[in-house]
Amino acid sequence: MPRGVPAPGGARRSPAVVALGGGHGLAASLSALRHVTDRLTAVVTVADDGGSSGRLRRELGVLPPGDLRMALSALCDDGEWGRTWRDVLQHRFDTDGSLHEHATGNLLITTLWQLLGDPVTGLDWVARLLGARGRVLPMAAVPLDIEADVLGLDAADPDAAVPVRGQVAVATTTGRVAGVRLVPEDPPVHEDVLQAIEEADWIVLGPGSWFTSVLPHLLVPALADALHRARARRCVTLNLAAQPGETDGFSAEAHLEVLAAHAPDLHLDAVLADPVAVEDPMSLSRVAGSLGARLLLRQVSLGDGTPRHDALRLAAAYRDVFSSTFSDVREDR
């Protein structure tokens, strides 16, 4: 059904939204988007190599399940069923044995993958168990490694680019990340991911760890091609604060400039930012405009001084983005 056309009975259908990312950033956007639409698909990075996910990936050869688990947890509703299963998935064992720090949800997801033989089918079964308000899909069909060029690690030549490999190593580097790439460079992508992007009305990119959760989606050739060809409009959600290691010292504008450097032909329609994270709104608006986007400033943080999103405030901002309501709203501090 075309966008903006009322559904049978006169009710207007909610937009089909595909959210891209990983970790806490994607969980924040999904926690908001599930209040906005019942047609929601998360496409999740699969490059994690640390903690419980990294151990399962190395021992069993599976996709790292952690970011996928977090996305599923974020799609649980706020009723007793949803809250209980969210807590089950996020529970970590505290023991002196080999189960220490493994997340229950990681083990559940991996079990279904082994029983059913297909990652997408396994994730769909977990979503059914949770009553998840949306679908969760892996960005690629095989585990990925992130490799970055990092400046400032060579004391003898601070301007030299030193290759750093692995999501954890890149995310915690003490140098300045200049660019990232994926290994393998051209991984297979599940057809359901490409179909979701083709059918989307809006694609939401960010917030999240910029080099290890947000940009990787633009580096998978099949996925990048689908994002460029999609009829959907595209919204970038900026972070509430720079991330130690990855984006230390980055302005809001720098995040967009890095994104454009990795995907120079990607047209954007909207950039969503919290005023507390923007030093120069006019400069950010100019950079957004150079990418084809309009800037929407909204308070989407909890407002307690921590860089955490408020799900309902973020949901309201997404509603404004999707309805093209871009008038400024004064912050409530």
Side-chain angles (χ1 to χ4, degrees):
M1 183 176 296
R3 278 177 279 186
V5 176
R12 191 172 296 274
R13 294 185 71 181
S14 58
V17 179
V18 173
L20 311 177
H24 294 285
L26 179 61
S29 64
L30 294 177
S31 296
L33 287 167
R34 67 182 176 83
H35 294 289
V36 178
T37 181
D38 57 2
R39 303 164 66 203
L40 177 58
T41 302
V43 177
V44 185
T45 184
V46 286
D48 192 2
D49 60 352
S52 172
S53 286
R55 289 160 61 190
L56 292 169
R57 171 180 175 168
R58 290 187 294 272
E59 292 177 24
L60 301 175
V62 297
L63 296 174
D67 285 354
L68 297 158
R69 180 199 82 243
M70 290 185 66
L72 286 163
S73 298
L75 292 175
C76 292
D77 67 30
D78 296 321
E80 182 182 12
W81 183 273
R83 292 196 311 271
T84 300
W85 277 110
R86 179 181 61 228
D87 292 345
V88 169
L89 255 65
Q90 298 289 58
H91 175 75
R92 290 185 183 272
F93 295 100
D94 184 6
T95 171
D96 294 329
S98 60
L99 279 176
H100 182 64
E101 280 297 297
H102 267 307
T104 307
N106 289 354
L107 301 178
L108 174 62
I109 291 168
T110 303
T111 299
L112 282 164
W113 286 345
Q114 292 197 327
L115 289 174
L116 301 175
D118 177 62
V120 169
T121 303
L123 291 168
D124 285 343
W125 272 87
V126 178
R128 288 171 59 188
L129 172 65
L130 305 178
R133 295 185 175 183
R135 197 176 186 203
V136 172
L137 300 172
M139 179 179 76
V142 297
L144 302 176
D145 279 327
I146 293 175
E147 189 172 80
D149 292 322
V150 182
L151 309 178
L153 296 182
D154 185 346
D157 185 1
D159 293 327
V162 176
V164 173
R165 183 162 175 169
Q167 179 170 322
V168 172
V170 173
T172 59
T173 182
T174 57
R176 181 169 63 86
V177 179
V180 291
R181 54 193 166 270
L182 296 178
V183 181
E185 293 181 351
D186 191 4
V189 176
H190 199 283
E191 184 60 35
D192 286 18
V193 173
L194 303 180
Q195 183 177 349
I197 291 172
E198 181 182 350
E199 296 175 353
D201 297 313
W202 277 92
I203 295 166
V204 175
L205 190 62
S209 300
W210 216 243
F211 286 101
T212 55
S213 291
V214 177
L215 295 183
H217 292 78
L218 306 175
L219 305 179
V220 176
L223 184 54
D225 182 61
L227 291 172
H228 282 79
R229 290 187 293 104
R231 70 188 181 97
R233 287 171 285 181
R234 302 163 186 86
C235 172
V236 169
T237 310
L238 293 178
N239 291 334
L240 296 174
Q243 181 175 358
E246 280 197 36
T247 55
D248 258 337
F250 272 40
S251 64
E253 298 95 300
H255 285 76
L256 292 183
E257 291 164 352
V258 166
L259 187 150
H262 284 79
D265 298 324
L266 184 66
H267 172 85
L268 302 180
D269 295 275
V271 172
L272 173 61
D274 191 303
V276 75
V278 179
E279 292 185 6
D280 188 342
M282 293 300 295
S283 176
L284 179 59
S285 182
R286 284 194 296 271
V287 174
S290 71
L291 303 177
R294 298 176 66 188
L295 172 64
L296 176 66
L297 294 176
R298 290 287 188 277
Q299 182 184 354
V300 293
S301 64
L302 287 173
D304 61 357
T306 64
R308 294 182 297 163
H309 288 86
D310 181 283
L312 295 182
R313 285 174 171 168
L314 187 56
Y318 281 135
R319 287 192 185 97
D320 286 346
V321 169
F322 299 160
S323 63
S324 299
T325 305
F326 279 76
S327 57
D328 287 336
V329 172
R330 184 169 57 88
E331 277 191 283
D332 179 17
R333 280 286 186 260

